[in-house]
Structure formats: C-alpha cells, structure tokens
Amino acid sequence: MSATGKHRRPKTSQLARLLAVAGTGGIALALPLISASGAEAAQPAAQPATTTTSAAASVSTSVSTSVSGVAAKAAAPKIYSVVAGDTLSKIAQSHSVSGGWKKLYEDNRAVVGSDPSVIRPGTKLTIGGPAKASSGTAAATTAPAARGSAAEPARADRSARPTTLFANNLDGWIRQSLEIMAQHGIPGTYDGIRRNVLRESSGNPLAINNWDSNAAAGIPSKGLLQVIDPTFRAYHVPGTAADSYDPVANITAACNYAAARYGSIDNVNSAY
C-alpha cells in the first residue's frame, strides 16, 4: 500500500515564471530581465523619437527661413528703366503695381517730376518702394516726351538733345515743337504756329475732319494742324512720337511740310 502523501505544487523557479510572463506578450519581455540599474540604461531607447522631433523642428525652421527669404526677396523693390513707348499706367500694369500708375508716380515723384504725363527714356523708376532723388532729377531732363492726360500718362519718346519741361497745353506744345524745329533747322514762329492751330483745330489735339475730300478718300486730316497720315509719315521729325494725334509730333511734322512747300508755317494763312 502506497504511502499517502500531501500533494503540493512544485516550486517554480523565478526564471521560469518570468519566462512564462514573457510568453504572454512581447511588451513585458524586457521588464523582468533587467535590474533597477538596467531600467535606467534602457532609457536611451526612447531617444530616437526626441531626435526625430528635433530634426522635424530643424526642418520646419529651415523651411520657414527659406519661405521668409523668398518672400523678402519677392517684396524687395525693383528698378525699371523707362523705354520709348512706355507710360506709367503701362508699367504699373505690367508689374502688377498695387494702386496702379498713381502709386507708381507717388513713389517716383522725385525722379519723374511734377507732371506724371511726362516720362523719359532712361529714367529709373523704383517699383515696390519710394525712389530716392538723385542729382539727375526730373528738373534736369534728358528728352522731350509726348503729353497725355493725367488718367493716361503719355508715352516716352526720344529726342536729339536735352530739353526743359513744357506745360501740357497749347502754349507748351508750341514751345516744345519750336525747340525741336530749331534742332532740325525747320523755320517757324510761335505766332505763325498758334494762328494756324486755332484756325485748323481750335487747339484740340484730337480734332479730325470727317467730311472733306481727304476724309472721302479714307485719309482724314487729324490733330492740331490737321495733317493727313501720308503727309505726317513723310514729314515726321525724329525725336517726336509716331502718332499723328500727338500734339508736338503733329505741329512739328506740319511745320516741316509747310517749310518744304511754302517756305515756313508763317506763310500759311488758309487751308494748306
């Protein structure tokens, strides 16, 4: 007869219990196998996240700096050199100036001068900020420019020599024409020009004759001195606009024609 004994649960070693726990999930695996000092040594394993965060912050800062740099560069004022045919409104539109030609003129009044309808080739305009006045301000201009209304500043044009500013009215147009005529040896006087202008157009640079024989032929007389396009092209004077409605160009071409046919505009006292 076998002896009766007390059944007791075999003593499981600490290592076996730990292995059993480890088998329930990978997360608990490392915890029971290290001492307190080992736990402290395990902390660096969490650092990659910190490093990643720092790297992300660094990239973010770098991107922000780059974007700021691009924005600053885009916002920096630009210098534009006026060429023949330019107007303030044309320049403002092509460079998307906020506030249009009025803002462009306001920023560049120091170099343009008191008349926004006068801009000259070679003038340096600052786009995106106020310009600084220089020794070569608008008072010391380099070439006459065609005139226009304040709403549509006139086109810049070339001239053979430096000149002064002239008023944007009949008196100014005649005086500017006389200066250009003198440069090209074209005869004529202020009184002779003014007398013929008042008879032909009453001083309206946009006057056009739509009823005479020239108009019937498709070449109406235009401008202050009522010049047809073929005559204007034939007697156009370098240094003036290529537009027969331009007051200075119209006067100068008409006087050049009158000089060739009548000796001088002063000798013209009727339709010519």
Side-chain angles (χ1 to χ4, degrees), residues 66-78 95-96 127-129:
S66 298
V67 172
S68 299
V70 170
K73 183 177 181 181
K78 297 181 293 185
H95 290 273
S96 301
I127 299 175

Side-chain angles (χ1 to χ4, degrees), residues 3-271:
T4 302
K6 293 182 179 180
H7 293 280
R8 62 178 181 178
R9 189 173 185 177
K11 182 178 182 182
T12 304
S13 67
Q14 182 178 9
L15 178 58
R17 289 200 304 274
L18 296 179
L19 290 175
V21 173
T24 62
I27 297 178
L29 179 61
L31 297 180
L33 297 180
I34 58 173
S35 63
S37 60
E40 294 178 359
Q43 290 181 1
Q47 288 191 4
T50 304
T51 303
T52 302
T53 303
S54 299
S58 177
V59 170
S60 177
T61 301
S62 177
V63 171
S64 298
T65 302
S66 298
V67 172
S68 299
V70 170
K73 183 177 181 181
K78 297 181 293 185
I79 302 299
Y80 177 81
S81 182
V82 174
V83 298
D86 274 342
T87 67
L88 288 180
S89 59
K90 176 181 176 182
I91 297 169
Q93 182 176 10
S94 63
H95 290 273
S96 301
V97 176
S98 178
W101 74 264
K102 292 183 178 180
K103 174 60 176 173
L104 183 61
Y105 172 62
E106 178 183 339
D107 288 343
N108 292 275
R109 182 187 293 267
V111 294
V112 173
S114 60
D115 189 351
S117 70
V118 180
I119 56 172
R120 304 177 186 279
T123 300
K124 305 295 183 183
L125 302 180
T126 301
I127 299 175
K132 295 180 180 179
S134 64
S135 56
T137 57
T141 53
T142 58
R147 275 13 182 217
S149 67
E152 175 59 29
R155 296 177 180 273
D157 205 350
R158 297 182 177 89
S159 181
R161 302 179 188 175
T163 185
T164 54
L165 289 174
F166 296 94
N168 187 23
N169 54 30
L170 181 57
D171 176 74
W173 300 331
I174 293 175
R175 293 186 186 282
Q176 185 175 348
S177 296
L178 286 170
E179 181 174 286
I180 297 172
M181 289 164 59
Q183 295 172 13
H184 293 272
I186 302 171
T189 64
Y190 182 96
D191 290 339
I193 294 173
R194 188 174 187 277
R195 171 170 46 81
N196 281 283
V197 166
L198 294 179
R199 184 190 67 252
E200 293 291 336
S201 66
S202 299
N204 177 12
L206 299 180
I208 183 171
N209 184 323
N210 288 314
W211 55 266
D212 67 1
S213 58
N214 287 325
I219 47 173
S221 302
K222 301 175 181 178
L224 289 175
L225 282 171
Q226 292 293 281
V227 183
I228 60 175
D229 285 341
T231 300
F232 178 81
R233 290 193 293 268
Y235 291 91
H236 174 259
V237 177
T240 63
D243 179 3
S244 61
Y245 283 113
D246 179 88
V248 174
N250 187 281
I251 291 174
T252 312
C255 288
N256 194 24
Y257 164 74
R261 183 162 184 177
Y262 303 102
S264 170
I265 190 69
D266 295 342
N267 298 329
V268 177
N269 295 290
S270 61

